[in-house]
Each structure stands twice: as structure tokens, then as C-alpha cells.
Amino acid sequence: MHSVGICGSDVHYWQNGRIGDFVLKKPMVLGHEASGRVAKVGSEVKHLKVGDRVAIEPGVPREMDEFFKTGRYNLSPTIFFCATPPDDGNLCRYYTHSANFCYKLPDNVTFEEGALIEPLSVGIHACRRAGVTLGSTVFVCGAGPIGLVCLLAAKAMGASQVVISDLSEERLLMAKDLGADFLLTVKRGDGAQQLAKSVEEMLGAQPHITIECTGVESCIQTAIYATRSGGVVVLVGLGSELATVPLINAAVREVDIRGVFRYCNTWPMAIAMLASGKVNVKPLVTHRFPLEQAVQAFETTRQGLGIKVMLKCDKNDQNP
């Protein structure tokens, strides 16, 4: 293993021992945003060799069920997934993974970029589910790591204008650097309909698509109110199990509400986007720690400092 990013879900398991129905019953290795160098391959592996640099897709289907057959393997109920109980993650020195879900990195894509393909995949999958295309106008709620990769993916997939909102000025400045056209600073207690109006005023019209990355009830409400009739709201952020939202408003305006669960079939596209320079994820990494300082790294993420914290697992190679 070389570079492993820390995700909010890693911190959540560390602090709470569960996320929804996924409950820790025994110790578990964290980490699922990862890249490394091949140290050994099985006898049947043809496409990889020792020394190859690879990005690791953490979700590996265990059986060829209907979801696998239709290409939506992320929905398979029996899927293996790094750092989701009881499956161990890959925040360690050495790790064994299905070769079919290890993707060779081109020479011009760094290990850290390889690790960032995992969060970038969430953005790509969300934008695919939303139907982002040439000329789409998009509103992204939340400018944390996932909001920012949704911004990057939307822009790369042809969105003409993107508005992004957050409580944090620091995160919005990062969004501006990454290509956001409009920044909307949210204050606690702002009304959902008022924020929706602000989005419309910025764009000159309601957005075709809203990508909700916070999971906060009031933000889901804003997402629905903000979206143009006939448009799409994609829910990426996970909050509480139940939310009160203006469902009838969405229904009578034919606003489609779509869910997102991780991703599927995104690694090849993400690698191509990074290698061609169409997407730049490098600015997302704000902190780096050696594996020995993992606790400090997790604490940095827990406190919400910076954007993406990267752990360096190879003692002989601490480079990006």
C-alpha cells in the first residue's frame, strides 16, 4: 500500500462503531480510498505484474446476481466492501485484493490521484445518475470532499454553470479554485425557500440538476425547491434515516429524486480523466501523515481541518 485517504465514514466508524445498518461487531481495519504497488500476483492474474502501480476499487461483488448481471454491482446485497463491517479495509502496509478490481495507473497519474479516484467515483456516479450533460446547470449542496468531486465531475461532463453552497468560506474558496461559477454562503437557520431563490438569482434560472451532498434535512428541502420543474435531484449525502421534505412540491413539478449508493463502473473513466488532465484532484489533498501517525491524521479529519487527509503507508516511498 502507498496512499490511503481518510473518508468521513472511516471517522464515523472510529467514533460511533456503526453507520445505519452496518454495525461493528469485532475489530476492523479502516481505509477504502487507496492505491499501491503490486507485490505479488496469483497464478491466474494476466493483466497485472509485480511492480505495477494500481488504484483499488474497494467494492467487489461476491456473487453473479441480477445486480451484477445488469452492471449495477454496487447494489448487490452480498458485495465485499473495504472498511464496511465485517470487511477489513486497506489502511495497512500490505493488502490482498481481487485483481479484477485493481486498475493499473498510467505513469503520469500519481499514487495520491489513484487513491482519490474513490471519492471522484462518487462524483462521477452522482453526475451520471443526475444526467449531467453538455450545457447542464447544476447546484451542488455542500463543499466538503464529496461536494467538490461532484463539482469536478459535473464540469468535466459538460455542465455550463455550477453553483455550490456551504457554511464554510474556506471550503467555498477551494470550490472557486476548482471551477465553481457561483458560491453561496449558507448561514445556520437560513430558510430553504430563500436559499432556493438565491440559487435561481445567481444562475438567472433554476438549475436543471441539484446534487445534495450534506444529508441535512434543510438542505434536502432546499435541493427540491431549487430544482427546475422536470429536473433531477440526486441525494448523495447521508444523514438521519427519516427526513421531512416537500415531496408533493417535487411530484407536481415532475422533479425526479434519485438516490446514490457508492458507484459502479467508474475507475476506467476516472483514470482516463486524470491522465488526460481533464480533471485535477491534486488540490484536494491538504494534509499528509505517515501511517505511524494515523491517530493524528484521523483527528485532523474529525475536526474538519482542510479537505482530504492522506496517509502514507510505504516507508520507502513517502512521495505523493
Short mmCIF file of all heavy atoms in Angstrom, two decimals, residues 91-117:
data_model
loop_
_atom_site.label_atom_id
_atom_site.label_comp_id
_atom_site.label_asym_id
_atom_site.label_seq_id
_atom_site.Cartn_x
_atom_site.Cartn_y
_atom_site.Cartn_z
N LEU A 91 -6.10 0.21 5.01
CA LEU A 91 -5.16 1.13 5.65
C LEU A 91 -4.12 0.30 6.41
O LEU A 91 -4.23 0.06 7.61
CB LEU A 91 -5.91 2.08 6.58
CG LEU A 91 -5.08 3.11 7.36
CD1 LEU A 91 -4.16 3.90 6.45
CD2 LEU A 91 -5.99 4.05 8.13
N CYS A 92 -3.13 -0.18 5.67
CA CYS A 92 -2.13 -1.09 6.23
C CYS A 92 -0.92 -1.12 5.29
O CYS A 92 -0.92 -0.45 4.27
CB CYS A 92 -2.71 -2.49 6.41
SG CYS A 92 -3.65 -3.09 4.98
N ARG A 93 0.10 -1.89 5.65
CA ARG A 93 1.31 -1.95 4.81
C ARG A 93 1.10 -2.82 3.58
O ARG A 93 1.50 -2.47 2.48
CB ARG A 93 2.47 -2.55 5.61
CG ARG A 93 2.85 -1.72 6.82
CD ARG A 93 3.97 -0.75 6.52
NE ARG A 93 4.40 -0.11 7.75
CZ ARG A 93 4.50 1.20 7.93
NH1 ARG A 93 4.22 2.03 6.94
NH2 ARG A 93 4.88 1.69 9.09
N TYR A 94 0.48 -3.99 3.79
CA TYR A 94 0.22 -4.93 2.70
C TYR A 94 -1.24 -5.33 2.73
O TYR A 94 -1.83 -5.46 3.80
CB TYR A 94 1.13 -6.16 2.81
CG TYR A 94 2.58 -5.86 2.54
CD1 TYR A 94 3.43 -5.49 3.57
CD2 TYR A 94 3.09 -5.91 1.23
CE1 TYR A 94 4.77 -5.19 3.33
CE2 TYR A 94 4.42 -5.60 0.98
CZ TYR A 94 5.26 -5.25 2.02
OH TYR A 94 6.56 -4.94 1.77
N TYR A 95 -1.79 -5.56 1.57
CA TYR A 95 -3.22 -5.83 1.47
C TYR A 95 -3.48 -6.70 0.24
O TYR A 95 -2.84 -6.52 -0.80
CB TYR A 95 -3.96 -4.49 1.36
CG TYR A 95 -5.42 -4.61 1.05
CD1 TYR A 95 -6.31 -5.07 2.01
CD2 TYR A 95 -5.92 -4.28 -0.21
CE1 TYR A 95 -7.65 -5.20 1.72
CE2 TYR A 95 -7.26 -4.40 -0.50
CZ TYR A 95 -8.13 -4.86 0.46
OH TYR A 95 -9.46 -4.99 0.17
N THR A 96 -4.38 -7.67 0.37
CA THR A 96 -4.73 -8.56 -0.75
C THR A 96 -6.12 -8.21 -1.28
O THR A 96 -7.06 -8.03 -0.50
CB THR A 96 -4.75 -10.03 -0.27
OG1 THR A 96 -3.51 -10.32 0.38
CG2 THR A 96 -4.95 -10.98 -1.43
N HIS A 97 -6.24 -8.11 -2.61
CA HIS A 97 -7.50 -7.68 -3.23
C HIS A 97 -7.69 -8.40 -4.56
O HIS A 97 -6.72 -8.81 -5.20
CB HIS A 97 -7.44 -6.16 -3.46
CG HIS A 97 -8.77 -5.50 -3.65
ND1 HIS A 97 -9.70 -5.39 -2.64
CD2 HIS A 97 -9.33 -4.89 -4.73
CE1 HIS A 97 -10.76 -4.74 -3.09
NE2 HIS A 97 -10.56 -4.43 -4.36
N SER A 98 -8.94 -8.53 -4.97
CA SER A 98 -9.26 -9.13 -6.27
C SER A 98 -8.60 -8.33 -7.39
O SER A 98 -8.78 -7.12 -7.50
CB SER A 98 -10.78 -9.12 -6.48
OG SER A 98 -11.08 -9.34 -7.84
N ALA A 99 -7.83 -9.03 -8.24
CA ALA A 99 -7.10 -8.37 -9.32
C ALA A 99 -8.03 -7.65 -10.30
O ALA A 99 -7.67 -6.63 -10.89
CB ALA A 99 -6.24 -9.38 -10.07
N ASN A 100 -9.26 -8.18 -10.45
CA ASN A 100 -10.22 -7.54 -11.36
C ASN A 100 -10.64 -6.15 -10.90
O ASN A 100 -11.20 -5.37 -11.68
CB ASN A 100 -11.47 -8.41 -11.51
CG ASN A 100 -11.21 -9.66 -12.31
OD1 ASN A 100 -10.39 -9.66 -13.22
ND2 ASN A 100 -11.89 -10.75 -11.96
N PHE A 101 -10.39 -5.85 -9.64
CA PHE A 101 -10.77 -4.55 -9.10
C PHE A 101 -9.54 -3.72 -8.69
O PHE A 101 -9.63 -2.82 -7.86
CB PHE A 101 -11.78 -4.73 -7.95
CG PHE A 101 -13.12 -5.20 -8.46
CD1 PHE A 101 -13.34 -6.53 -8.80
CD2 PHE A 101 -14.15 -4.29 -8.67
CE1 PHE A 101 -14.55 -6.96 -9.32
CE2 PHE A 101 -15.37 -4.70 -9.19
CZ PHE A 101 -15.58 -6.04 -9.51
N CYS A 102 -8.40 -4.08 -9.31
CA CYS A 102 -7.19 -3.27 -9.23
C CYS A 102 -6.89 -2.74 -10.63
O CYS A 102 -6.87 -3.51 -11.59
CB CYS A 102 -6.00 -4.11 -8.75
SG CYS A 102 -6.20 -4.76 -7.08
N TYR A 103 -6.72 -1.45 -10.76
CA TYR A 103 -6.59 -0.82 -12.07
C TYR A 103 -5.21 -0.17 -12.20
O TYR A 103 -4.83 0.65 -11.36
CB TYR A 103 -7.68 0.24 -12.26
CG TYR A 103 -9.07 -0.33 -12.15
CD1 TYR A 103 -9.68 -0.51 -10.91
CD2 TYR A 103 -9.78 -0.71 -13.29
CE1 TYR A 103 -10.96 -1.05 -10.80
CE2 TYR A 103 -11.06 -1.25 -13.19
CZ TYR A 103 -11.64 -1.41 -11.95
OH TYR A 103 -12.91 -1.94 -11.84
N LYS A 104 -4.51 -0.54 -13.26
CA LYS A 104 -3.15 -0.03 -13.48
C LYS A 104 -3.19 1.48 -13.71
O LYS A 104 -4.01 1.99 -14.48
CB LYS A 104 -2.55 -0.73 -14.70
CG LYS A 104 -1.04 -0.55 -14.84
CD LYS A 104 -0.53 -1.47 -15.95
CE LYS A 104 0.92 -1.52 -16.10
NZ LYS A 104 1.81 -0.57 -16.34
N LEU A 105 -2.30 2.19 -13.03
CA LEU A 105 -2.22 3.64 -13.18
C LEU A 105 -1.20 4.01 -14.26
O LEU A 105 -0.09 3.47 -14.28
CB LEU A 105 -1.79 4.30 -11.86
CG LEU A 105 -2.79 4.22 -10.70
CD1 LEU A 105 -2.14 4.74 -9.42
CD2 LEU A 105 -4.05 5.01 -11.02
N PRO A 106 -1.56 4.93 -15.15
CA PRO A 106 -0.57 5.42 -16.11
C PRO A 106 0.55 6.15 -15.38
O PRO A 106 0.37 6.60 -14.24
CB PRO A 106 -1.37 6.41 -16.98
CG PRO A 106 -2.80 6.16 -16.67
CD PRO A 106 -2.87 5.58 -15.31
N ASP A 107 1.71 6.28 -16.02
CA ASP A 107 2.88 6.89 -15.38
C ASP A 107 2.64 8.33 -14.91
O ASP A 107 3.26 8.78 -13.96
CB ASP A 107 4.09 6.87 -16.34
CG ASP A 107 4.58 5.44 -16.59
OD1 ASP A 107 4.24 4.55 -15.77
OD2 ASP A 107 5.28 5.22 -17.58
N ASN A 108 1.73 9.04 -15.61
CA ASN A 108 1.51 10.45 -15.25
C ASN A 108 0.40 10.65 -14.22
O ASN A 108 -0.01 11.77 -13.95
CB ASN A 108 1.23 11.29 -16.51
CG ASN A 108 -0.10 10.93 -17.16
OD1 ASN A 108 -0.60 9.82 -17.01
ND2 ASN A 108 -0.67 11.87 -17.89
N VAL A 109 -0.08 9.56 -13.63
CA VAL A 109 -1.08 9.66 -12.55
C VAL A 109 -0.42 9.18 -11.26
O VAL A 109 0.09 8.07 -11.19
CB VAL A 109 -2.34 8.81 -12.86
CG1 VAL A 109 -3.32 8.86 -11.70
CG2 VAL A 109 -3.02 9.31 -14.15
N THR A 110 -0.40 10.05 -10.26
CA THR A 110 0.32 9.76 -9.01
C THR A 110 -0.47 8.77 -8.13
O THR A 110 -1.67 8.54 -8.36
CB THR A 110 0.55 11.04 -8.19
OG1 THR A 110 -0.73 11.53 -7.74
CG2 THR A 110 1.26 12.12 -9.00
N PHE A 111 0.20 8.23 -7.12
CA PHE A 111 -0.47 7.35 -6.16
C PHE A 111 -1.62 8.09 -5.46
O PHE A 111 -2.69 7.51 -5.24
CB PHE A 111 0.51 6.85 -5.10
CG PHE A 111 1.37 5.70 -5.54
CD1 PHE A 111 2.75 5.84 -5.64
CD2 PHE A 111 0.82 4.46 -5.82
CE1 PHE A 111 3.55 4.77 -6.02
CE2 PHE A 111 1.60 3.38 -6.21
CZ PHE A 111 2.98 3.54 -6.31
N GLU A 112 -1.39 9.35 -5.09
CA GLU A 112 -2.45 10.10 -4.39
C GLU A 112 -3.66 10.32 -5.30
O GLU A 112 -4.80 10.19 -4.85
CB GLU A 112 -1.91 11.43 -3.86
CG GLU A 112 -1.00 11.23 -2.66
CD GLU A 112 -0.59 12.52 -1.96
OE1 GLU A 112 -0.98 13.61 -2.42
OE2 GLU A 112 0.14 12.43 -0.96
N GLU A 113 -3.40 10.63 -6.57
CA GLU A 113 -4.51 10.74 -7.51
C GLU A 113 -5.23 9.40 -7.62
O GLU A 113 -6.46 9.35 -7.69
CB GLU A 113 -4.00 11.17 -8.89
CG GLU A 113 -3.54 12.61 -8.96
CD GLU A 113 -2.97 12.94 -10.33
OE1 GLU A 113 -1.87 12.44 -10.65
OE2 GLU A 113 -3.62 13.68 -11.08
N GLY A 114 -4.46 8.32 -7.61
CA GLY A 114 -5.04 6.98 -7.66
C GLY A 114 -5.96 6.72 -6.48
O GLY A 114 -7.05 6.15 -6.63
N ALA A 115 -5.55 7.15 -5.30
CA ALA A 115 -6.39 7.00 -4.10
C ALA A 115 -7.64 7.88 -4.19
O ALA A 115 -8.72 7.50 -3.72
CB ALA A 115 -5.59 7.33 -2.84
N LEU A 116 -7.50 9.04 -4.81
CA LEU A 116 -8.62 9.99 -4.92
C LEU A 116 -9.65 9.57 -5.97
O LEU A 116 -10.71 10.18 -6.08
CB LEU A 116 -8.10 11.40 -5.24
CG LEU A 116 -7.40 12.10 -4.07
CD1 LEU A 116 -6.63 13.32 -4.56
CD2 LEU A 116 -8.40 12.51 -2.99
N ILE A 117 -9.34 8.51 -6.73
CA ILE A 117 -10.34 8.00 -7.69
C ILE A 117 -11.58 7.52 -6.94
O ILE A 117 -12.69 7.62 -7.45
CB ILE A 117 -9.74 6.88 -8.57
CG1 ILE A 117 -8.71 7.48 -9.53
CG2 ILE A 117 -10.84 6.15 -9.35
CD1 ILE A 117 -7.91 6.46 -10.31
#
